[in-house]
Amino acid sequence: MKRRTFLASALAGAALLGGCKREEKASFAISKRNKITIKLATSWPANFPIMGERVERFAKKVAQATDGDVVIKVFAKNLLVPALQVFDACSAGQIEAFHSGPYYWKGKNPAFALFGGFPFGFTSNEMGAWMLFGGGLELWRELYARYDLYPLLGGNTDVQMGGWFRKKITSLDDLKGLKMRIPGLGGEVMAKLGVNPILLPAGEIYTALDRGTIDATEWVGPALDIKMGFYKVAKYYYSGFHEPGSVLELTFNKKFWDGLPKDIQQIITSCSNELNTTMVYDFQDKNAKALQKLKKLGIHLQKWPPEIVKAAKKALMQVIEEQSAKSEDFKKVWDIIEPYWMQNREWSVLGLKNYLEMRDG
Ligand code: CA
């Protein structure tokens, strides 16, 4: 029996037994509320695997959980708003919500990059812990409130691969002058190692790599990389340190969010928590499967030489210092991240790393 029908008959029964007056009975009536429509623009192409699919599923869950009271219309990139203007459009109230990644907005505030993750930073598990229990999400909301935005956790790509290289990299010298498509803090770290970081729209990366306009590119991991076809033109596929657990955001216009009924806020938050966790499992499942396919396509799986890893760690600390000197907000966020990062690393090594060594060593 549907909840409303059940309640209605229970109330009718109570009215008969108690001999309620007509007016009192009417006050118990449950009226269907007005529909709430939410325009949600994403930074992803239509039918984008995992990230796009999960957002569509989130919208369906919210519709089911509210019995159709809340309708979330998901728009792929550029349909309603250009991919990298969703932040501004939502801030201005032109759309109610967006799905994207906070590292895209580091030009607005360098600190936003840190909510997306950082090289040698949190794993997806550690990142979730920092967001929910280490003050991360609270701090993120505080900084986004200045733009009239309210972020919810919108998923995590899990550990990303270091990228596709046309030539094998054996030393720091091999990186000098190398042109690589790599955004964010990872790009800044690579720049300190002599790499020339290039930003290219997704649609142009393959051709640039094929023609040798760029020497290397990172993207995400096996599941999404295989669809881009990079393996056909760059055979060396490196494990990564630059995006160990990149956060995606499901962000609302704050005025709109604050005006939503509390139960709707709770339902959307619960559904976004589901989106957040299931996306990591989806990446795990599809990356594992795609890796098996890639291995049959003649690629060479590589690990970075220790001298590059060591130099990249040093470069990271330089980048952090420079950004902290330039931006008070960056420093504020980093000062909260750093002790939490150290504490979690110790536990993750003792628990997870040692286990993986025993399992796979
Ligand atoms: Ca990436």
Side-chain angles (χ1 to χ4, degrees):
M1 191 185 286
K2 278 199 155 186
R3 192 182 58 161
R4 285 193 180 93
T5 326
F6 172 77
L7 282 173
S9 56
L11 291 170
L16 282 176
L17 286 171
C20 285
K21 288 181 190 163
R22 225 180 150 75
E23 309 84 79
E24 286 167 350
K25 228 169 48 173
S27 72
F28 286 114
I30 297 169
S31 59
K32 181 87 180 155
R33 64 173 136 203
N34 290 336
K35 266 196 174 35
I36 298 169
T37 304
I38 296 172
K39 294 187 290 298
L40 188 159
T42 79
S43 295
W44 328 121
N47 306 313
F48 196 52
I50 310 181
M51 281 129 90
E53 285 167 4
R54 287 282 135 204
V55 177
E56 294 282 358
R57 204 168 280 248
F58 156 80
K60 277 198 191 104
K61 287 267 173 185
V62 172
Q64 282 167 0
T66 59
D67 200 15
D69 286 350
V70 179
V71 179
I72 300 183
K73 292 185 177 166
V74 179
F75 295 89
K77 71 168 184 180
N78 305 337
L79 278 182
L80 193 61
V81 181
L84 298 184
Q85 282 175 31
V86 292
F87 182 102
D88 287 335
C90 192
S91 176
Q94 290 156 5
I95 50 173
E96 286 77 27
F98 69 90
H99 191 258
S100 191
Y103 41 84
Y104 287 131
W105 325 120
K106 73 182 175 114
K108 297 184 184 298
N109 187 330
F112 292 167
L114 289 172
F115 296 112
F118 56 99
F120 300 105
F122 295 130
T123 62
S124 55
N125 230 25
E126 291 167 345
M127 181 57 100
W130 180 63
M131 283 290 181
L132 292 178
F133 308 113
L137 190 55
E138 208 179 328
L139 193 55
W140 189 5
R141 285 178 180 163
E142 185 189 314
L143 296 191
Y144 262 33
R146 294 182 202 161
Y147 296 83
D148 206 12
L149 294 171
Y150 181 85
L152 298 172
L153 298 178
N156 193 302
T157 66
D158 209 12
V159 64
Q160 297 202 10
M161 285 295 283
W164 299 87
F165 289 72
R166 285 161 58 96
K167 289 190 184 133
K168 189 171 173 179
I169 306 296
T170 56
S171 69
L172 270 170
D173 277 347
D174 291 341
L175 291 179
K176 303 270 183 281
L178 197 100
K179 292 191 285 297
M180 178 177 189
R181 181 264 171 202
I182 176 167
L185 290 169
E188 287 176 41
V189 165
M190 292 307 265
K192 294 221 177 285
L193 306 186
V195 169
N196 183 7
I198 310 238
L199 292 180
L200 280 177
E204 293 172 26
I205 306 173
Y206 179 87
T207 311
L209 194 61
D210 184 27
R211 292 184 183 157
T213 318
I214 56 172
D215 306 296
T217 185
E218 71 83 52
W219 187 237
V220 184
L224 296 183
D225 292 12
I226 197 169
K227 292 179 190 295
M228 297 291 274
F230 300 139
Y231 62 89
K232 294 176 201 160
V233 289
K235 296 285 181 194
Y236 296 92
Y237 195 27
Y238 281 78
S239 291
F241 55 73
H242 69 305
E243 288 191 75
S246 287
V247 168
L248 300 170
E249 61 185 318
L250 182 73
T251 294
F252 284 79
N253 175 281
K254 193 170 181 304
K255 273 196 204 83
F256 173 78
W257 178 265
D258 289 344
L260 285 173
K262 291 281 173 282
D263 60 331
I264 300 294
Q265 287 180 349
Q266 188 54 54
I267 287 170
I268 292 176
T269 303
S270 296
C271 291
S272 88
N273 285 340
E274 188 193 271
L275 160 73
N276 192 51
T277 47
T278 52
M279 190 186 289
V280 177
Y281 304 148
D282 206 1
F283 268 111
Q284 173 74 28
D285 174 72
K286 293 196 171 74
N287 279 334
K289 286 172 182 159
L291 175 61
Q292 295 310 310
K293 286 186 192 158
L294 281 172
K295 278 170 67 185
K296 292 180 189 141
L297 295 169
I299 61 159
H300 307 294
L301 297 172
Q302 302 287 316
K303 279 166 81 174
W304 292 111
E307 71 160 342
I308 290 183
V309 176
K310 199 175 158 198
K313 284 182 183 171
K314 203 174 145 201
L316 169 72
M317 295 325 290
Q318 285 172 354
V319 169
I320 299 287
E321 256 175 52
E322 287 166 10
Q323 296 286 340
S324 297
K326 270 192 245 167
S327 158
E328 257 176 50
D329 285 335
F330 189 97
K331 186 176 179 336
K332 182 179 169 184
V333 178
W334 178 255
D335 285 349
I336 288 172
I337 283 181
E338 195 177 22
Y340 200 81
W341 180 47
M342 301 309 282
Q343 184 177 290
N344 276 269
R345 283 167 66 169
E346 202 172 334
W347 160 237
S348 292
V349 166
L350 185 74
L352 185 63
K353 178 174 171 271
N354 288 354
Y355 162 67
L356 290 176
E357 274 176 13
M358 286 188 278
R359 190 184 73 175
D360 307 316

PDB file of all heavy atoms in Angstrom, residues 103 160-161 181 183 218-220 242-243 246, ligand 1:
ATOM      1  N   TYR A 103      38.789  21.446  -8.846  1.00  0.00           N
ATOM      2  CA  TYR A 103      40.106  21.887  -9.358  1.00  0.00           C
ATOM      3  C   TYR A 103      39.962  22.795 -10.580  1.00  0.00           C
ATOM      4  O   TYR A 103      40.869  23.536 -10.915  1.00  0.00           O
ATOM      5  CB  TYR A 103      41.000  20.690  -9.705  1.00  0.00           C
ATOM      6  CG  TYR A 103      40.270  19.563 -10.386  1.00  0.00           C
ATOM      7  CD1 TYR A 103      40.063  19.578 -11.757  1.00  0.00           C
ATOM      8  CD2 TYR A 103      39.762  18.499  -9.636  1.00  0.00           C
ATOM      9  CE1 TYR A 103      39.369  18.554 -12.373  1.00  0.00           C
ATOM     10  CE2 TYR A 103      39.066  17.470 -10.252  1.00  0.00           C
ATOM     11  CZ  TYR A 103      38.875  17.507 -11.619  1.00  0.00           C
ATOM     12  OH  TYR A 103      38.175  16.492 -12.227  1.00  0.00           O
ATOM     13  N   GLN A 160      44.158   7.864 -10.141  1.00  0.00           N
ATOM     14  CA  GLN A 160      44.290   8.035 -11.597  1.00  0.00           C
ATOM     15  C   GLN A 160      45.658   7.546 -12.072  1.00  0.00           C
ATOM     16  O   GLN A 160      46.603   7.476 -11.291  1.00  0.00           O
ATOM     17  CB  GLN A 160      44.110   9.511 -11.970  1.00  0.00           C
ATOM     18  CG  GLN A 160      42.719  10.034 -11.626  1.00  0.00           C
ATOM     19  CD  GLN A 160      42.335  11.268 -12.436  1.00  0.00           C
ATOM     20  OE1 GLN A 160      43.006  11.666 -13.385  1.00  0.00           O
ATOM     21  NE2 GLN A 160      41.221  11.879 -12.046  1.00  0.00           N
ATOM     22  N   MET A 161      45.711   7.230 -13.358  1.00  0.00           N
ATOM     23  CA  MET A 161      46.976   6.803 -13.952  1.00  0.00           C
ATOM     24  C   MET A 161      47.804   8.035 -14.325  1.00  0.00           C
ATOM     25  O   MET A 161      47.265   9.102 -14.608  1.00  0.00           O
ATOM     26  CB  MET A 161      46.723   5.935 -15.180  1.00  0.00           C
ATOM     27  CG  MET A 161      46.248   4.519 -14.843  1.00  0.00           C
ATOM     28  SD  MET A 161      47.485   3.511 -13.962  1.00  0.00           S
ATOM     29  CE  MET A 161      48.589   3.043 -15.311  1.00  0.00           C
ATOM     30  N   ARG A 181      49.833  17.132 -21.735  1.00  0.00           N
ATOM     31  CA  ARG A 181      48.534  17.650 -21.322  1.00  0.00           C
ATOM     32  C   ARG A 181      48.310  17.174 -19.892  1.00  0.00           C
ATOM     33  O   ARG A 181      48.150  15.978 -19.642  1.00  0.00           O
ATOM     34  CB  ARG A 181      47.438  17.111 -22.261  1.00  0.00           C
ATOM     35  CG  ARG A 181      46.038  17.613 -21.934  1.00  0.00           C
ATOM     36  CD  ARG A 181      45.294  16.631 -21.081  1.00  0.00           C
ATOM     37  NE  ARG A 181      44.054  17.181 -20.600  1.00  0.00           N
ATOM     38  CZ  ARG A 181      43.405  16.728 -19.528  1.00  0.00           C
ATOM     39  NH1 ARG A 181      43.876  15.728 -18.824  1.00  0.00           N
ATOM     40  NH2 ARG A 181      42.274  17.272 -19.168  1.00  0.00           N
ATOM     41  N   PRO A 183      46.493  19.046 -16.248  1.00  0.00           N
ATOM     42  CA  PRO A 183      45.998  20.255 -15.578  1.00  0.00           C
ATOM     43  C   PRO A 183      46.323  20.274 -14.079  1.00  0.00           C
ATOM     44  O   PRO A 183      46.908  19.319 -13.556  1.00  0.00           O
ATOM     45  CB  PRO A 183      44.490  20.149 -15.784  1.00  0.00           C
ATOM     46  CG  PRO A 183      44.222  18.669 -15.832  1.00  0.00           C
ATOM     47  CD  PRO A 183      45.487  17.990 -16.297  1.00  0.00           C
ATOM     48  N   GLU A 218      47.848  12.868 -19.623  1.00  0.00           N
ATOM     49  CA  GLU A 218      47.148  12.081 -18.608  1.00  0.00           C
ATOM     50  C   GLU A 218      45.667  12.253 -18.886  1.00  0.00           C
ATOM     51  O   GLU A 218      45.250  13.206 -19.565  1.00  0.00           O
ATOM     52  CB  GLU A 218      47.545  12.526 -17.195  1.00  0.00           C
ATOM     53  CG  GLU A 218      47.012  13.885 -16.773  1.00  0.00           C
ATOM     54  CD  GLU A 218      45.602  13.853 -16.250  1.00  0.00           C
ATOM     55  OE1 GLU A 218      45.330  13.057 -15.351  1.00  0.00           O
ATOM     56  OE2 GLU A 218      44.749  14.634 -16.730  1.00  0.00           O
ATOM     57  N   TRP A 219      44.852  11.341 -18.372  1.00  0.00           N
ATOM     58  CA  TRP A 219      43.398  11.510 -18.492  1.00  0.00           C
ATOM     59  C   TRP A 219      42.798  11.050 -17.177  1.00  0.00           C
ATOM     60  O   TRP A 219      42.825  11.798 -16.210  1.00  0.00           O
ATOM     61  CB  TRP A 219      42.879  10.748 -19.718  1.00  0.00           C
ATOM     62  CG  TRP A 219      41.418  10.982 -20.040  1.00  0.00           C
ATOM     63  CD1 TRP A 219      40.446  10.037 -20.149  1.00  0.00           C
ATOM     64  CD2 TRP A 219      40.782  12.246 -20.309  1.00  0.00           C
ATOM     65  NE1 TRP A 219      39.249  10.629 -20.459  1.00  0.00           N
ATOM     66  CE2 TRP A 219      39.412  11.983 -20.556  1.00  0.00           C
ATOM     67  CE3 TRP A 219      41.226  13.556 -20.344  1.00  0.00           C
ATOM     68  CZ2 TRP A 219      38.492  12.990 -20.848  1.00  0.00           C
ATOM     69  CZ3 TRP A 219      40.303  14.573 -20.629  1.00  0.00           C
ATOM     70  CH2 TRP A 219      38.949  14.277 -20.872  1.00  0.00           C
ATOM     71  N   VAL A 220      42.355   9.810 -17.068  1.00  0.00           N
ATOM     72  CA  VAL A 220      41.800   9.366 -15.783  1.00  0.00           C
ATOM     73  C   VAL A 220      42.405   8.016 -15.390  1.00  0.00           C
ATOM     74  O   VAL A 220      43.337   7.925 -14.599  1.00  0.00           O
ATOM     75  CB  VAL A 220      40.258   9.311 -15.826  1.00  0.00           C
ATOM     76  CG1 VAL A 220      39.700   8.934 -14.460  1.00  0.00           C
ATOM     77  CG2 VAL A 220      39.671  10.667 -16.249  1.00  0.00           C
ATOM     78  N   HIS A 242      49.788  12.007  -9.388  1.00  0.00           N
ATOM     79  CA  HIS A 242      49.310  13.391  -9.440  1.00  0.00           C
ATOM     80  C   HIS A 242      47.839  13.552  -9.041  1.00  0.00           C
ATOM     81  O   HIS A 242      47.441  14.620  -8.597  1.00  0.00           O
ATOM     82  CB  HIS A 242      49.532  13.974 -10.842  1.00  0.00           C
ATOM     83  CG  HIS A 242      48.649  13.366 -11.882  1.00  0.00           C
ATOM     84  ND1 HIS A 242      48.608  12.003 -12.092  1.00  0.00           N
ATOM     85  CD2 HIS A 242      47.753  13.914 -12.747  1.00  0.00           C
ATOM     86  CE1 HIS A 242      47.723  11.761 -13.050  1.00  0.00           C
ATOM     87  NE2 HIS A 242      47.194  12.896 -13.458  1.00  0.00           N
ATOM     88  N   GLU A 243      47.029  12.504  -9.219  1.00  0.00           N
ATOM     89  CA  GLU A 243      45.612  12.597  -8.823  1.00  0.00           C
ATOM     90  C   GLU A 243      45.201  11.293  -8.132  1.00  0.00           C
ATOM     91  O   GLU A 243      44.549  10.447  -8.738  1.00  0.00           O
ATOM     92  CB  GLU A 243      44.716  12.847 -10.049  1.00  0.00           C
ATOM     93  CG  GLU A 243      44.830  14.246 -10.620  1.00  0.00           C
ATOM     94  CD  GLU A 243      43.747  14.544 -11.656  1.00  0.00           C
ATOM     95  OE1 GLU A 243      42.590  14.757 -11.250  1.00  0.00           O
ATOM     96  OE2 GLU A 243      44.066  14.548 -12.865  1.00  0.00           O
ATOM     97  N   SER A 246      40.692  12.094  -6.944  1.00  0.00           N
ATOM     98  CA  SER A 246      40.114  13.404  -7.278  1.00  0.00           C
ATOM     99  C   SER A 246      38.618  13.479  -6.981  1.00  0.00           C
ATOM    100  O   SER A 246      37.835  12.634  -7.390  1.00  0.00           O
ATOM    101  CB  SER A 246      40.362  13.725  -8.747  1.00  0.00           C
ATOM    102  OG  SER A 246      41.726  14.035  -8.922  1.00  0.00           O
TER     103      SER A 246
HETATM  104 CA    CA B   1      43.181  13.504 -14.726  1.00  0.00          CA
END
